[in-house]
Each structure stands twice: as C-alpha cells, then as structure tokens.
Amino acid sequence: MPPFAVRAWSATTALGRGVQAQHAALLERRSGLRPNDFGPDNADGVPLPCWIGRVDGLEDAPLPAQFARWECRNNRLAWLALQQDGMLDAVRDAVDRLGAERVALVIGTSTSSIGASEEAYRDLQPDADGTPAFPPELARPIVHTVHSLGDFVQQVSGARGPCITVATACSSSAKVFAQAARLIEAGVVDAALVGGVDTLCGSVLYGFNSLQLVSAQPCRPFDADRDGLSLGEAGGFALLERVPADNRSLRLLGYGESSDAHHMSSPHPQGLGALQAMNEALARAGIAPEDVDYLNLHGTSTPANDRIEAAAVASLFPARLHASSTKGWTGHTLGAAGIVEAVFCLIALQHGTLPGILNSATPDPACGPQIRFDNAQASIQVAMTNSFGFGGNNASLVFGVSA
Amino acid sequence: MSALVATIEGVGFWATGLPGWDSARDFVRDGRLPEAPPARPSPQLLAPNERRRAPGTVAVALEVALAACEAAGRDPASLPSVFASTHGELAITDYMCATLADQPETISPTRFHNSVHNAAAGYWSIGTGATAATTAISAYQATFAQGLLEALVQLATGVPAVLLVAYDGSSVGPLAKISPSAGLLGGALVLSRSERAGAMRLAATLADGEAPAAAGPLAARDPGNAMAPMLGLFDALASGDRHTTLSAGAGRILQLSLHEPSLHEPSLQETGAQRRG
C-alpha cells in the first residue's frame, strides 16, 4: 500500500491531556492508575475494588451548548481530546483545503456512550402509559446508540465524507486506520480523521469482572504473577492524508487485520490470529520483522493474553526488538487502546522514547527477550502496535519516519 | 469520485415472516407469503445448544451470511467480511443496563461478551473458520450504506471478494421507546471484483442529497426495523429495478445502479446451465 501522512495526532488519557502529557508520564514512568472511584457501587456499597485509569475533569467539562444533544461522558471525552494538539483545527483545515466531502471520519469505540443508557436505567420514571421510561434529560436517542461518537465528531468537525463508527471491541481504534487508508486509496476521500474514545462505565467494569479478568491491583503486564487487567478510559485522534512530495511527516506504513476464528473471549492458543495480523501489517508496509524497532503490545496483563502474545512475538521477531505494554500507564482503554498506543508509537518515532512496562518486576519465563520492563532511548525508524479484541478480532499497525 | 463497482455473486435475506431470499422475491413479484414461517432463523453454523441461546441478531446475521455464500458458491472461510448493524443486540443492552442498575455483580459473563458490537462477526468467524479480516460498524440511519461502501472499498483496494452482512433486531424494555426497532431483519451480499455471467453488477457513487423514502414491497412491509434502510436495494434486486438510492448520512446519499455484465458473452456451456436452471 502507499504510505499515508499522519498530519496531526493526539491522545488524552489518565496521564493527562495531549501528547506532551503522555510523553512526560512515559519518560517519568508515572502511572495514571488509581484505586477505583467510579461507580456503580457493588453490593457492599463501594465501587468495584480494582484500579482504573480515569480522565480527570470530565465531570466539570460539559459540551458547548450547541452540542447539548450529544451530551454524555463519552462525547465529553471526545470533545476534550479534540481540543488538544490542534486536532480540531487540523481537521477543519483539511475540510477547508480539500473540501468537506473529501474528508472522512472513521472513529472506533467499544461501548460508545452506553454509560448514558446505564444512567437512564438507574433513573427510570413512569411514562404517561405507566411503563418505565428514560428521564427527559436522557431521552435523546443519539446518545443511546453505537454511532453516537461518530455522529458527534461529524457535528463538530464539519467534514461531510463517509462517517463511520467502528466497533470491534478492543481492536476498534486500530482498525479505523485500515478503513481510512482504504477510503483514501480507493479515491473516495483525500483525508480522514481517525481515532477512538471509550469511557469507564458499569458495563465494562462489571463485565470484565464477571469474566474474572480484572486485577485487584494495578495491572502488571508480562509479570510472572500478573492476575488481570486494569480498565481505563481515553480518547485520541489522528489525521491521515496522502503523502505530498515534500512531506516530512510521520507515516502510516501498513496495517494488518485478522480473525482468530477460535473463541469469543479467549485468544487462539497458538496466537495464529495475532501472527496473521502482524505478518499482514509487515507485508503491507513492505518491511521485514528485523526492520521493526519498537512494538507496542496489546499486553492486557491477563495470564493467557500475555503468554500467547509473547510467544507470537518471540516466534516472529529477533531478540533486538524492544516490545512493551503500556497498559500500566493508562489501563486498558478498550476501544480507545488502538489510537492511544498508535500515539505512543508516534512519540517513540518522534522523540526516541521507547516505553518499558510499569509495575512488573518478575519476568515470566514464557516471555521472550523482546519484552522489556525498562524504558529505552533510541532514534528509531519503525514502530508497530498490536490491538486484539473480543470476537477474536485483531489489528496491527506499522508507523515510520519519512525517508 | 468515480463509481465503485462490484458483482453481486450471492444474496442472503431473512425477515420476520419472510424466511429467505426466495420467499422475499416471491413476495415482491406476486405478494405471496409463506405459510407458518419460523419465528427466528436457525443458523446451522452454531452447535444446537448455542443455536438456541444465541441472540436474535447473531442468529439472523449468521443465517443470511451463510445463505449469501451458498448462493455465490463461495467457501465462507475464504472471505473477509463487513458486519453492519445500527444498534447491535438491544435485548442485551437492556439486560446489561437493568442488571447494572440493580445488582451489578450478577452480570452474566456470556451476555457480557455477547454485548460487543462485533458478536455476530465473532461467531461467524468461529463457526466458519474464517481467519480473514472482519469488521463491525454502525452509522445510525446510514449504517447499511456505510457498510456497503466499506465492502466496495475493500474490493477497490485489492480483495477479490467480500461478504457484507447487515442486520438489526427488536428493542425491548425502556430502550424500546428510545431506539425503536421491531422484528428481525438481515441481508447479506457476496460481492466480488470480477464479472460473472448471469450475476448483476452494482455501481455506487456518493453525492449530496436526501434519499427518498423507500417504497418497494419489502420496505413497505418491514419499516419498523432499524435496518429497514437497506430494503431499497433488496427491493430493487428482487423486482429488477435498475436504480436505487440509500441515505449515506448528513445530507449525503449513495446512488446505486444495477446492470447485467457487459463484457462477458455467455459461453454455450453457461447458456446451457442457465436453461437447465
């Protein structure tokens, strides 16, 4: 495939707002995780006992009045994330330069604004016919559907190209890069805003808890004693365009997508789907495994996921690869994980900051030499990220610096 | 943009009361309805116990996907796929929200993993052994048009054939007043790059405008399902109409035209096969 320019990019996580906040926390090895203070409360009257990556200030940041119809925690985070690093200006500039109908919006999420639906169910009121109904302030259909996020971003950006919400669980905001690249390559548009937003909500906290995948401690990816994940929330965006002749920007070089065809919530035991996604991404980028300098792993910190991903990485890459999971910094941000970790790859390419792993102390013998607990500093050419989701849905992305 | 094109190799369809593409075509052509249609599909890809437990949206999606592959003569495991649904499984959303409001720690792990928007895509890949890329999208009223666009764009950027599956189910509980959707409805297309004798070609172009309300027999019969906007195309395919327009969202439309392949003169053998068919 042709390379695509990444003209602007940003992420907002528990580490703070925008790229600089992410970069500083990666350098300082400062985690954004905290003891869970997000509802709903359990039978003991307290939030689920675990650690979370929560974005500060969302409660005090309502949407501007003209977007009140889209008001909810998830769209608030989308709005906050679009304000950082000139993202909104960048997409509006693309609309001005290229034409509104030549800019697509491809946005990923896992649960979109289901938190608002949960809120409505906690406050049901009898309707005129006596049956339970949403309270009037939440009776806004657009916030109770998956496309709430894509629709909101369309409203604020002014772009009129194809507008899609991709919802493939935790691979969502990695797959948006692939779909956007295809839309540009096929000539349907000239640019695409990609990204993803997922916010904490009862569905994911208690849902992952029901699968016994949530750790009571801060997550410890690839540690021999890891016992589950920490959930987080995040939003991030990137603007993709064709590479002009004189462009020196960072680039999307390749993508790979695959299915495990194995189980709804357990990875393929031999990591076949993960390997297929990584191999396809490398093939599209036209590079060999030896060419990759940094790999941001999916690395959720559950016993099975990490063991299988480490084995797949060890079978594909040489020992020199620096591979790490950054979930200890942000928590697992689900449908936003792809864009957040793509931004970490872009930070690695721009600043040479290769994150290690937080909280982990005891290497699991299952992990190969590629898995690095310590940060490193190195000038690199190619960075890659993996995102794997429920349903056995896998995506890998390859980014590079311009030649 | 120049038009995106594809051959429609196979069609799958299932609506409450019209359990298959043949019965849908009969209904469009002469108003005939099947007697005692099943209340929900029984997708043979799932093991019997899973077939009973599977959410309605998963059942209808798998049913139409398999039917489209069989009609196309394509091995399902060989195809990448695009799954398009406006709301996903609303009955599970209702369950999750009601349980969280009451006893959050009692959430069922199976219902939780079935709550993801890509549940049908996941069961499809597991049931068929398809390891190719699959995606799951929503674009509210424009969901079908955007799913079709992604399938066509996949063809334009290199895949030889792709499976498009669109579906929505019934809303229940308090959510039914906010996200109304009635019955089960699913449609699937196997689309390919190459021409094939006897198979229609589809050309799609994005433009400004508002799509007219779909008026064909299928659209008129099943307006209450959230995937009803797809019925304009299925009505056109069943009736032989050559043009239809789908809403692509926010003042944009996807204009579709259908035509017989022009390049390919049917060989004697194919003509014979058509006569026998």
Side-chain angles (χ1 to χ4, degrees):
Chain A
M1 71 174 223
F4 295 91
V6 185
R7 301 260 314 206
W9 37 286
S10 184
T12 291
T13 72
L15 301 174
R17 303 173 181 189
V19 169
Q20 253 191 324
Q22 312 307 309
H23 187 204
L26 291 174
L27 281 172
E28 296 162 19
R29 294 179 67 85
R30 172 170 49 79
S31 175
L33 298 179
R34 66 168 98 177
N36 184 19
D37 55 2
F38 190 94
D41 291 347
N42 64 15
D44 296 330
V46 296
L48 188 70
C50 61
W51 289 63
I52 59 166
R54 180 172 183 166
V55 174
D56 283 319
L58 286 178
E59 296 73 22
D60 307 317
L63 295 179
Q66 71 266 36
F67 304 127
R69 203 175 136 213
W70 288 268
E71 180 63 72
C72 64
R73 185 177 186 86
N74 210 59
N75 290 337
R76 282 186 182 196
L77 181 48
W79 179 244
L80 187 65
L82 278 169
Q83 308 304 310
Q84 314 307 318
D85 302 305
M87 268 324 304
L88 194 55
D89 290 342
V91 65
R92 286 175 174 166
D93 171 66
V95 164
D96 288 344
R97 276 186 293 121
L98 304 166
E101 74 284 0
R102 301 299 297 173
V103 181
L105 306 163
V106 191
I107 312 294
T109 187
S110 178
T111 55
S112 197
S113 40
I114 198 173
S117 312
E118 295 173 10
E119 195 183 333
Y121 270 68
R122 284 196 298 272
D123 191 22
L124 293 174
Q125 300 170 2
D127 212 347
D129 63 5
T131 57
F134 284 20
E137 71 275 14
L138 283 167
R140 292 175 277 118
I142 192 61
V143 300
H144 302 288
T145 190
V146 184
H147 189 51
S148 178
L149 177 62
D151 192 66
F152 173 66
V153 174
Q154 184 175 48
Q155 287 298 319
V156 303
S157 69
R160 301 185 68 238
C163 174
I164 307 108
T165 299
V166 175
T168 55
C170 306
S171 58
S172 301
S173 63
K175 287 176 76 77
V176 295
F177 283 88
Q179 188 164 343
R182 285 190 285 269
L183 281 166
I184 300 172
E185 193 181 344
V188 176
V189 292
D190 300 311
L193 181 73
V194 298
V197 183
D198 244 327
T199 29
L200 290 163
C201 59
S203 298
V204 298
L205 284 164
Y206 286 94
F208 278 98
N209 184 61
S210 77
L211 289 164
Q212 300 180 306
L213 293 176
V214 180
S215 176
Q217 307 172 48
C219 68
R220 291 167 289 168
F222 299 96
D223 189 289
D225 299 320
R226 68 188 177 274
D227 62 356
L229 50 75
S230 300
L231 293 160
E233 61 190 354
F237 294 94
L239 183 65
L240 294 187
E241 285 185 37
R242 281 195 192 84
V243 178
D246 59 347
N247 185 268
R248 305 284 302 166
S249 64
L250 298 174
R251 289 168 184 199
L252 173 69
L253 298 177
Y255 61 82
E257 301 168 278
S258 73
S259 301
D260 274 3
H262 173 67
H263 189 269
M264 280 304 288
S265 54
S266 303
H268 187 285
Q270 277 82 50
L272 293 186
L275 279 167
Q276 187 179 329
M278 289 190 279
N279 276 316
E280 284 189 9
L282 294 170
R284 264 206 186 80
I287 61 172
E290 302 80 66
D291 298 326
V292 179
D293 302 301
Y294 171 61
L295 173 61
N296 188 295
L297 299 156
H298 190 55
T300 57
S301 183
T302 67
N305 285 355
D306 288 5
R307 184 183 69 247
I308 291 164
E309 189 179 13
V313 167
S315 75
L316 184 58
F317 292 98
R320 70 167 277 271
L321 175 71
H322 181 114
S324 68
S325 162
T326 46
K327 300 288 196 280
W329 271 272
T330 60
H332 184 5
T333 61
L334 308 178
I339 183 69
V340 167
E341 292 160 26
V343 165
F344 289 170
C345 286
L346 297 170
I347 289 173
L349 289 166
Q350 191 166 55
H351 300 284
T353 304
L354 312 188
I357 296 175
L358 279 190
N359 309 324
S360 299
T362 312
D364 181 338
C367 302
Q370 299 85 3
I371 310 290
R372 309 290 175 88
F373 285 4
D374 294 330
N375 284 16
Q377 195 70 33
S379 177
I380 65 166
Q381 301 294 308
V382 176
M384 185 168 173
T385 179
N386 284 341
S387 299
F388 308 137
F390 276 7
N393 200 293
N394 311 302
S396 294
L397 302 173
V398 178
F399 296 94
V401 296
S402 57
Chain B
M1 63 178 264
S2 52
L4 295 162
V5 295
T7 295
I8 301 175
E9 291 193 350
V11 180
F13 185 87
W14 205 98
T16 305
L18 286 177
W21 184 228
D22 285 344
S23 61
R25 276 187 301 194
D26 287 347
F27 174 71
V28 169
R29 287 168 187 172
D30 57 21
R32 233 181 325 146
L33 285 166
E35 288 175 27
R40 64 178 250 159
S42 185
Q44 299 305 304
L45 276 178
L46 297 173
N49 61 332
E50 282 189 335
R51 208 177 298 158
R52 279 191 303 275
R53 284 193 318 216
T57 47
V58 170
V60 78
L62 267 51
E63 177 81 11
V64 298
L66 194 59
C69 291
E70 284 172 352
R74 291 264 183 183
D75 174 6
S78 69
L79 298 172
S81 52
V82 177
F83 282 72
S85 177
T86 312
H87 298 300
E89 177 61 35
L90 287 163
I92 288 190
T93 308
D94 173 69
Y95 162 83
M96 295 290 294
C97 292
T99 306
L100 285 164
D102 188 19
Q103 291 181 291
E105 285 157 299
T106 67
I107 291 277
S108 143
T110 306
R111 295 243 209 151
F112 171 60
H113 75 210
N114 283 345
S115 75
V116 295
H117 198 68
N118 62 319
Y123 282 109
W124 171 255
S125 71
I126 294 164
T128 60
T131 60
T134 185
T135 193
I137 66 122
S138 175
Y140 214 37
Q141 292 97 335
T143 300
F144 181 72
Q146 295 294 344
L148 176 58
L149 187 63
E150 160 65 0
L152 294 171
V153 162
Q154 286 195 21
L155 295 177
T157 54
V159 307
V162 60
L163 170 67
L164 169 66
V165 187
Y167 59 95
D168 267 292
S170 293
S171 51
V172 296
L175 206 50
K177 295 171 186 171
I178 296 292
S179 302
S181 184
L184 276 177
L185 178 62
L189 303 171
V190 171
L191 301 167
S192 75
R193 289 164 70 95
S194 49
E195 300 196 351
R196 185 190 273 198
M200 296 293 279
R201 292 282 282 174
L202 178 151
T205 314
L206 280 168
D208 279 341
E210 296 293 336
L218 294 174
R221 187 185 164 278
D222 215 347
N225 185 280
M227 196 42 71
M230 79 172 188
L231 292 172
L233 174 58
F234 288 83
D235 266 318
L237 288 169
S239 66
D241 285 351
R242 294 306 172 98
H243 298 280
T244 189
T245 301
L246 302 172
S247 167
R252 300 282 286 170
I253 49 175
L254 193 62
Q255 295 174 321
L256 304 180
S257 64
L258 298 159
H259 60 92
E260 307 281 353
S262 53
L263 169 153
H264 193 98
E265 290 297 325
S267 67
L268 282 176
Q269 195 181 359
E270 284 164 335
T271 309
Q274 282 170 347
R275 283 203 195 106
R276 278 196 300 276

